[in-house]
C-alpha cells in the first residue's frame, strides 16, 4: 500500500521533535525493528529501544487493532507513540480497542501508550498548515510527562531536588495552577491557591531555579 505524504511527514516530524527534545542521546530511524514501526528511537549508549511509534493516516479504523497490538506487544520500551488522524470514528474505535486490553494480562500496557491527534484536514504540501501542525505536535509531545522522562528531560536528581521542598504539596499545586492558568504574579497565585504569599514566592523561585518553570519574560511563566 502506498504511503501518503501526510503519513511520511508526520512520522518524520515525530522523530525530529523527539531528537530535538532529547537529553539522553537518541538515535532515530524511520523504519523500525523488523519493519514493524513507522518510527522508533534507540539510546545511543546501549542501543536499547525506548520509544516506538505508528502513524495512522491513510487507512481507516480497521487498522487501529493491528497498530495497537504491535505497539503494546513490544517489550522493554518506555513509551509507545501513536500519531493519528482526528476523526470521531477513529477516536471511538481507539477507545474500544484500548478498553479491551483492560480485561487481559496486558492491562498495564496501555499506560505507556501516548496518542497525539492531528486535524483531519492536515495537508503536508501546505507549508503554513504543516508548520503549525509541527509546532502543535511538538508542544504536545514535549509537555507529556512520560515523554519528557523518556527523553531524559527529567532525571532522578531533578525529582530528588523537587521532593526536598519543606512545603510538600505546594510545588505540585503551583505547577498545576500554572498549567491551567499560566503564571501572572505571586499574589494572584497565592490568593487562588489560598496559600501564604511568601511561601508561594519562595517555591515559585525555587521551581524556576530547578527548571520546572520557565519564562521568556519576567511577566509570566509556563
Amino acid at each position: 500500500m502506498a504511503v501518503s505524504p501526510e503519513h511520511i511527514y508526520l512520522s518524520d516530524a515525530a522523530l525530529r521533535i523527539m531528537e530535538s527534545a532529547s537529553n539522553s542521546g537518541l538515535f532515530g530511524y524511520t523504519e523500525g525493528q523488523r519493519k514493524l514501526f513507522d518510527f522508533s528511537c534507540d539510546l545511543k549508549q546501549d542501543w536499547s529501544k525506548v520509544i516506538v511509534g505508528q502513524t495512522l493516516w491513510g487507512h481507516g479504523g480497521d487498522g487501529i487493532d493491528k497498530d495497537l497490538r504491535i505497539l503494546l506487544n513490544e517489550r522493554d520500551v518506555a513509551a509507545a507513540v501513536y500519531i493519528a488522524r482526528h476523526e470521531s470514528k477513529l477516536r471511538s474505535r481507539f477507545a474500544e480497542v484500548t478498553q479491551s486490553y483492560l480485561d487481559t494480562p496486558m492491562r498495564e500496557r496501555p499506560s505507556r501508550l501516548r496518542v497525539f491527534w492531528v486535524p483531519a484536514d492536515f495537508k503536508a504540501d501546505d507549508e503554513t498548515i504543516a508548520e503549525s501542525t509541527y509546532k502543535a505536535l511538538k508542544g504536545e509531545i514535549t509537555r507529556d510527562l512520560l515523554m519528557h522522562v523518556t527523553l531524559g528531560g527529567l532525571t532522578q536528581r531533578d525529582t530528588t531536588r523537587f521532593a526536598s521542598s519543606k512545603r510538600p504539596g505546594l510545588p505540585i499545586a503551583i505547577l498545576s495552577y500554572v498549567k491551567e492558568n499560566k503564571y501572572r504574579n505571586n499574589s494572584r497565585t497565592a490568593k487562588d491557591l489560598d496559600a501564604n504569599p511568601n511561601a508561594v514566592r519562595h517555591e515559585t523561585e525555587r521551581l524556576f531555579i530547578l527548571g520546572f518553570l520557565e519564562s521568556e519574560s519576567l511577566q509570566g511563566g509556563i
Side-chain angles (χ1 to χ4, degrees):
M1 180 183 296
V3 179
S4 69
E6 288 72 28
H7 185 287
I8 295 173
Y9 179 91
L10 292 171
S11 297
D12 179 67
L15 276 176
R16 287 188 286 128
I17 290 168
M18 288 185 283
E19 287 171 347
S20 66
S22 172
N23 291 318
S24 301
L26 291 176
F27 174 76
Y29 49 94
T30 55
E31 192 171 298
Q33 184 183 31
R34 299 188 303 278
K35 299 184 179 181
L36 290 178
F37 308 109
D38 292 321
F39 53 88
S40 59
C41 294
D42 296 352
L43 278 175
K44 287 183 178 179
Q45 291 92 325
D46 57 9
W47 302 107
S48 61
K49 194 172 301 298
V50 292
I51 298 174
V52 294
Q54 295 284 85
T55 301
L56 170 65
W57 196 262
H59 60 77
D62 293 339
I64 291 179
D65 303 64
K66 178 183 176 182
D67 286 345
L68 293 184
R69 186 169 62 252
I70 291 173
L71 288 172
L72 297 178
N73 282 346
E74 186 69 6
R75 296 179 179 274
D76 302 321
V77 296
V81 175
Y82 200 31
I83 298 177
R85 190 173 71 248
H86 190 287
E87 290 184 0
S88 298
K89 178 181 69 173
L90 299 184
R91 293 200 67 143
S92 176
R93 184 56 187 157
F94 174 84
E96 290 176 4
V97 175
T98 51
Q99 186 69 27
S100 68
Y101 273 88
L102 299 181
D103 299 323
T104 73
M106 294 197 302
R107 55 183 173 273
E108 301 298 327
R109 297 283 181 89
S111 65
R112 69 183 185 186
L113 179 65
R114 292 294 185 271
V115 57
F116 301 101
W117 299 99
V118 176
D121 61 353
F122 166 69
K123 296 295 182 183
D125 58 358
D126 187 315
E127 291 186 7
T128 301
I129 293 178
E131 182 178 357
S132 63
T133 300
Y134 180 87
K135 289 181 178 178
L137 192 59
K138 183 176 182 179
E140 289 189 45
I141 290 177
T142 53
R143 283 196 302 267
D144 184 90
L145 182 59
L146 174 63
M147 298 298 294
H148 196 53
V149 173
T150 302
L151 295 171
L154 189 64
T155 65
Q156 182 177 354
R157 183 180 64 178
D158 295 326
T159 55
T160 299
R161 289 176 174 175
F162 181 83
S164 66
S165 170
K166 297 179 180 180
R167 304 171 180 84
L170 184 55
I172 295 177
I174 293 172
L175 290 179
S176 179
Y177 176 84
V178 171
K179 181 178 180 181
E180 294 296 325
N181 306 283
K182 303 300 182 183
Y183 187 80
R184 296 180 177 86
N185 55 65
N186 290 329
S187 58
R188 174 65 181 274
T189 302
K191 181 179 179 180
D192 290 347
L193 294 178
D194 192 23
N196 182 286
N198 288 329
V200 169
R201 178 182 58 79
H202 176 84
E203 291 298 337
T204 300
E205 291 175 353
R206 186 170 169 273
L207 289 170
F208 271 101
I209 292 172
L210 293 178
F212 282 83
L213 287 173
E214 65 181 18
S215 176
E216 294 181 355
S217 71
L218 298 178
Q219 302 303 315
I222 58 174

